[in-house]
Each structure stands twice: as C-alpha cells, then as structure tokens.
Amino acid sequence: MTVLKSTADTQGAEFAANRDAMLAKLAELEAEHAKAIAGGGEKYVERHRKRGKLLARERVELLIDEDSPFLELSPLAAWGTDYKVGASVVTGIGVVEGVECVIIANDPTVKGGASNPSSLKKGLRAADIAAENRLPVINLVESGGADLPTQKEIFIPGGRTFRNLTRSSAERIPTVALVFGNSTAGGAYLPGMSDYVVMVKERAKVFLGGPPLVKMATGEESDDESLGGAEMHARVSGLADYLAADEEDAIRLGRSIIRRLNWHKQGPTPMPVVQGPLYSAEDLLGIVPSDLKVPFDPREVIARVVDGSEFDEFKPLYGTSLTTGWATVFGYPVGILANAQGVLFSEESQKATQFIQLANQSDTPLVFLHNTTGYMVGKEYEQGGIIKHGAMMINAVSNSKVPHVSVLMGASYGAGHYGMCGRAYDPRFLFAWPSAKSAVMGPAQLAGVLSIVARQSAASKGQEYNEEHDAAMRAMVENQIEAESLPMFLSGMLYDDGIIDPRDTRTVLGLSLSAIHNGPVKGAEGFGVFRM
Ligand code: COA
C-alpha cells in the first residue's frame, strides 16, 4: 500500500491566490443556487404557504431520513435560458427508510410546477440515474403539466417520462407517486404509471381533463372533486392506493411504502473504512491554478479524496501525463484515471486502455478526474498513430461496463473529454468543479483556427484580408466560446449533474458510489476491435 505524500505548499502565495479565485467562483455559484431555492419568487412562495402547503424542498426534507444527506442533481438546470434556474423541479438522491431513492419533486411556485424543456431534460436525467443505478423512484407531484407555450419541445419527447416509469417497474425497480396537488392530463399518468400511489385529501386533483375541458369535449357538467379528487380515486376509481389526511401524512405513507419494499442492494458491500484522507479537504480550494494552462499534480487531489490517502499507482513511469491507480473511497474500491500534464499522448492512451481493461477484469468502478486539453497534435504524433491510440482509449471507455464517475476539475477539451468519459460516454454521474471548462478546444485556439481558415479562404479568392475585422471576429468568438465553456452554462444545459464545491468531492463520490452499488457491479467481457 502506498500512502501519498503531499508536496503542495499550502502556505504559499500561489496557493492563496488559487484559493481566493476558487472561493470567488464558489460565491457566484452560491448566488445561482439561491435562485433555484427561491423557486418562483416571494409572491408565489407566499401564496403557496398561505394555502397551507409545503415547498418542494420541504417535502423532500421531510421524506428523507432525519439528518441524512440529499445529493441534489442538476440544481442549475435552465441556467442561461428564459426559464427559472432549477427548471421548476427538484431532483436528487435521498435515503428513505435506509433505501437510496431518486426523488423528483415539482416546484409548484414556478408556473404552477409546469414542465418546460429544461424541466423535461432534468426529469429524464433523474430517471436515467434511477434506471442505471437501480434506484426506486419517488415522484412528489404537483404540476400544471406541460408548460403550454413550449409544448412543441416537450409533448412528443415527454412521453418518455411515463415510459420510463413503467420500464422501471418492469425491471423490478419500485416507483411511488405522492400526489400533493394538481396532476392533470399527461401529469395524470405519473400516478397512473407508478406502482404505488398516495393522494392528499382535498388537495390532489388527478384527471385527464378538468371541468372546462370536459364541458368542451362532451358537454358534461362536473367538478374537480368528482372528476379527480383524492377521495374519489381512493374509494371509486381505485387509482389511489392510500388516502392521506394531509401532506405530512402523505410523506409518512410514502416512507412506510419504502420500508415494506424489502430492498436489497445488489453490489458488493464496501470494505470497512479504516481512515479518511490524511490531508485536509480544505486544501482542495488552492490546488487548481486559476489559469488552467498551468498544470497541477492530480495526486494532490487524490491524496485528499481517497481513504487513508492510499493510492497504488499503476505504470507510474510510463505515459506520465496520465496518472492511473487503485484506491478506495468510503471503502468502495475504485480505479482512478487523472490527467497530470494536460495533453494525452499515445503512451497515455495505451496506458488508459490497459487500465480500463484491468478494472473490467476485476469489476472495479472507475473515477475519471479531468484536466486535459485533448490528444496531442502534430506530424510526429500523427505519424506515431495518435488517432489509433486515442481511438483505443475511447473504445475502452465506451465498451467498459464497470460504473464510471467523472469529475471535471479543470480543462476538459476536445476528444480528451471523450476519452476521459465525458457526458456522451454515459458516466453514471458527472460533476464539475467551479474551475472546470469544457469545449471542443480552448477559446483562443478556436478563434485562431477560424481566423486561419478565413485568411486562407480570402487568399484563394485573391481577396485582401481585413485585419481589423479579423481582430474583432477573434475577440467576439473568444468571448462566446469562453462563456459557453463555463460550468454554469454547461450545467444549465444538463451536460453535468451539478457543480460541486471541491471540498465536497469525497462526499459526493461516496454518495455516488453508494447509489451505484444498488445495482450489480460487473466488468465487460469483450471490447470492440482495438486498432493496435
Ligand atoms: N403552462 C404554462 N403556464 C402555466 C401552466 C401551464 N400548464 N399552468 C400554470 N401556468 C402559469 C399560470 O399562467 C400562472 O402564470 P402567471 O402567474 O405569470 O400569471 C402561473 O403559472 C401560476 O398559475 P396559477 O393558475 O396562478 O396557479 P395555481 O396554483 O392557482 O394553479 C394550476 C395551478 C396548475 C392548477 C393551474 O394553473 C392550471 O390548471 N394550469 C393548467 C393545467 C393544465 O390543464 N395543463 C395541461 C397540461 S397538458
């Protein structure tokens, strides 16, 4: 067993500057998270409370075990769009009666809890997490259904919400709907497709069409209660399995449903944790330079994340721009791949490929710590087969069957983002630090490439190249790409599962690994054709 020795100068000026920059980014992040927590704003929150109702987050808090953590997912969904930050729904993983569940709670203070395109993406992501990790799903329902003005973007793809619920059930993953309020039209299929349904008396309203629509359709005169009230569904239609006296009672019933699931995790149990990291998580604030061009040693991060700071490095003398090795996090064995010098060469790609295969041979989950500018370009490297070797690594990542978790610490550019298990490669979870940046390439490089292409195009047509326009174009493109590379923007687009405080990395990895182990952990038995 090798115990990592930190050489970081945690008292130095550079460290202090990095730390200040990270704290400033965290303060900005806090302000954005506060927007999500504020929901629809004071007016709507007050109205909701006056109606004697709990807020979405209060419902979640009451539902989960006392003092247990809630791993909130995609809190900044819809950031940078016309919709409210958070996308009118709260999603995350919480422990209910000792069972890790995916919880999806509509926020009725935002447009009556109606789902816009970002809410849909966020809900579908939560459903994917439930399915991939074999987690029971609890929907806390109070929603005006589809956000009608945006129906073209959500009506057709939104069908998956209901398909996912019943597919979960077919996989013997339980689904529970606690209905607190409106659940109309498409929304009626949330309880309709769930295994267990609880409705709150005099509050839940579940119908395919409300009284005005029924009047239009058939001329029938009706009222909310007889069309879709909780009492009616509990006593007449049978859609409600349990009638709750109030919101707290619905939550109590939800908890008792989970308690009776006889739930067993299928992954191996973690080893007992003898010791946490030997170095303080506080130091994680100062390790990443604010200028990502300056490399940092990922072992400094690993030493502050893994049990006992113990890390058995694999191939430490070969392909040194990528650090690979074995460790445990809260007793869960993991293989770690961490970028050390930014660029990935052929050696690093081959080393990563072998390491990923080894993890699959031993059913060991993988953690990818990103700080890469991508695969090396240039004549020497092309002739040396960098495409084949990068492809090899991407093949291994794509066909690996052990669970993957990615953390974007710094840069995650180009195909390096793919090889390190970027979003499209389906890591079970992907989190970003506030210092992360991800794009096809760096802003200056991208603007420079565009400039060279434009220059060549002008030359081939015999036109004079306008340098002033070029400078303006480059500045504009650089600003745009920089803004689009930032974690809040990417989080808003649901390209990660959340931006985390670097100090929480160990906790977040531990919660993720624990959730993952609800399902079996099994490596791949075959890979695609490796181009040697
Ligand atoms: N799409 C878009 N906006 C919606 C919406 C929807 N489905 N449902 C509600 N909203 C908006 C309202 O226009 C209102 O906006 P405003 O405050 O800017 O005027 C805001 O959300 C709050 O709605 P309000 O009706 O005041 O809230 P409420 O808590 O009293 O009632 C509902 C909530 C959901 C019961 C009610 O708004 C409703 O019946 N909505 C339509 C439900 C429906 O038929 N959906 C069909 C979906 S397929």
Side-chain angles (χ1 to χ4, degrees):
M1 208 66 95
T2 315
V3 177
L4 289 171
K5 271 216 162 51
S6 174
T7 56
D9 177 11
T10 55
Q11 304 305 314
E14 207 180 302
F15 198 88
N18 295 345
R19 186 186 148 86
D20 287 349
M22 185 68 89
L23 284 172
K25 289 194 178 99
L26 282 169
E28 281 172 32
L29 185 65
E30 193 64 39
E32 298 307 313
H33 281 157
K35 288 184 190 166
I37 292 168
E42 226 170 284
K43 175 177 136 195
Y44 290 99
V45 168
E46 202 177 309
R47 185 176 75 162
H48 190 72
R49 285 203 189 285
K50 278 210 178 107
R51 291 169 170 174
K53 292 183 164 199
L54 295 165
L55 297 172
R57 281 186 172 72
E58 292 169 344
R59 289 171 182 163
V60 172
E61 200 171 337
L62 282 179
L63 179 66
I64 63 177
D65 293 352
E66 212 171 331
D67 292 333
S68 68
F70 179 62
L71 179 60
E72 187 164 345
L73 300 164
S74 328
L76 298 188
W79 190 94
T81 72
D82 293 341
Y83 312 112
K84 291 260 187 206
V85 174
S88 71
V89 61
V90 178
T91 65
I93 298 175
V95 183
V96 179
E97 293 285 347
V99 179
E100 287 151 311
C101 299
V102 162
I103 300 170
I104 304 175
N106 303 124
D107 183 347
T109 68
V110 185
K111 291 273 170 207
S115 281
N116 58 52
S118 296
S119 335
L120 175 62
K121 272 196 206 165
K122 182 167 169 175
L124 291 177
R125 174 63 191 149
D128 280 349
I129 286 175
E132 287 169 1
N133 301 296
R134 197 176 157 267
L135 300 171
V137 181
I138 307 176
N139 269 292
L140 308 185
V141 186
E142 180 165 16
S143 163
D147 178 77
L148 292 171
T150 62
Q151 69 81 29
K152 74 174 193 302
E153 285 175 76
I154 52 175
F155 163 59
I156 290 174
R160 275 190 185 263
T161 306
F162 314 112
R163 184 205 73 158
N164 287 344
L165 278 173
T166 190
R167 283 202 172 167
S168 273
S169 180
E171 293 288 330
R172 305 177 73 196
I173 304 172
T175 55
V176 180
L178 308 182
V179 187
F180 294 95
N182 216 61
S183 183
T184 312
Y189 288 99
L190 285 174
M193 308 305 292
S194 295
D195 291 351
Y196 298 89
V197 176
V198 177
M199 292 191 196
V200 178
K201 197 174 166 180
E202 288 161 13
R203 294 290 170 89
K205 286 187 181 55
V206 184
F207 31 60
L208 291 184
L213 191 143
V214 170
K215 172 87 179 151
M216 289 289 295
T218 66
E220 186 189 6
E221 296 283 349
S222 52
D223 60 85
D224 281 356
E225 202 51 43
S226 64
L227 276 181
E231 289 260 0
M232 186 285 285
H233 281 306
R235 296 180 196 282
V236 184
S237 80
L239 178 62
D241 305 312
Y242 302 89
L243 180 66
D246 53 27
E247 295 206 10
E248 284 82 358
D249 192 35
I251 288 163
R252 181 188 65 76
L253 286 162
R255 288 179 55 81
S256 82
I257 290 167
I258 300 293
R259 182 156 45 96
R260 294 291 185 190
L261 290 178
N262 190 22
W263 189 251
H264 299 287
K265 292 170 89 158
Q266 293 180 349
T269 44
M271 293 171 226
V273 184
V274 182
Q275 201 172 23
L278 303 185
Y279 301 94
S280 168
E282 276 295 310
D283 300 343
L284 291 170
L285 293 174
I287 287 170
V288 184
S290 47
D291 177 1
L292 290 182
K293 283 193 208 77
V294 181
F296 62 91
D297 186 350
R299 293 174 198 85
E300 297 291 349
V301 175
I302 296 167
R304 289 160 177 86
V305 168
V306 304
D307 299 341
S309 303
E310 286 169 4
F311 182 60
D312 289 329
E313 200 164 334
F314 172 75
K315 260 182 158 58
L317 304 178
Y318 186 83
T320 52
S321 182
L322 181 79
T323 301
T324 52
W326 311 104
T328 59
V329 177
F330 286 105
Y332 291 104
V334 289
I336 299 175
L337 296 95
N339 303 112
Q341 296 293 331
V343 184
L344 291 161
F345 299 88
S346 288
E347 290 83 350
E348 281 72 13
S349 309
Q350 289 169 317
K351 171 173 163 178
T353 303
Q354 185 186 358
F355 187 70
I356 292 167
Q357 285 186 300
L358 292 174
N360 276 269
Q361 295 283 59
S362 62
D363 300 332
T364 308
L366 289 170
V367 174
F368 295 79
L369 301 177
H370 294 227
N371 184 29
T372 178
T373 46
Y375 293 97
M376 191 64 194
V377 295
K379 189 170 74 185
E380 181 190 342
Y381 305 99
E382 298 285 4
Q383 293 185 356
I386 187 74
I387 297 176
K388 287 191 313 183
H389 297 133
M392 224 183 203
M393 178 171 169
I394 295 172
N395 174 343
V397 165
S398 306
N399 291 307
S400 163
K401 295 269 191 293
V402 292
H404 298 171
V405 181
S406 277
V407 178
L408 274 56
M409 306 183 295
S412 187
Y413 285 114
H417 177 70
Y418 301 163
M420 289 295 289
C421 200
R423 186 56 140 184
Y425 290 78
D426 290 336
R428 297 289 182 91
F429 295 93
L430 185 150
F431 296 100
W433 285 4
S435 44
K437 280 186 191 174
S438 193
V440 65
M441 62 181 84
Q445 291 83 347
L446 193 144
V449 170
L450 280 180
S451 162
I452 292 169
V453 172
R455 203 177 290 270
Q456 284 171 346
S457 164
S460 72
K461 291 185 212 134
Q463 291 166 350
E464 206 178 311
Y465 193 62
N466 186 326
E467 294 298 337
E468 221 173 282
H469 280 178
D470 181 82
M473 179 278 285
R474 275 202 283 179
M476 197 184 79
V477 169
E478 265 187 55
N479 285 338
Q480 180 201 328
I481 303 302
E482 172 70 15
E484 291 173 357
S485 311
L486 294 175
M488 281 187 206
F489 181 84
L490 297 172
S491 224
M493 294 187 75
L494 272 297
Y495 284 152
D496 61 35
D497 295 315
I499 308 170
I500 59 169
D501 185 324
R503 290 170 289 190
D504 293 335
T505 306
R506 174 174 163 81
T507 307
V508 169
L509 280 179
L511 292 172
S512 303
L513 287 163
S514 179
I516 283 168
H517 281 70
N518 276 271
V521 175
K522 182 100 189 64
E525 288 177 7
F527 287 80
V529 173
F530 285 118
R531 303 187 61 98
M532 297 298 179

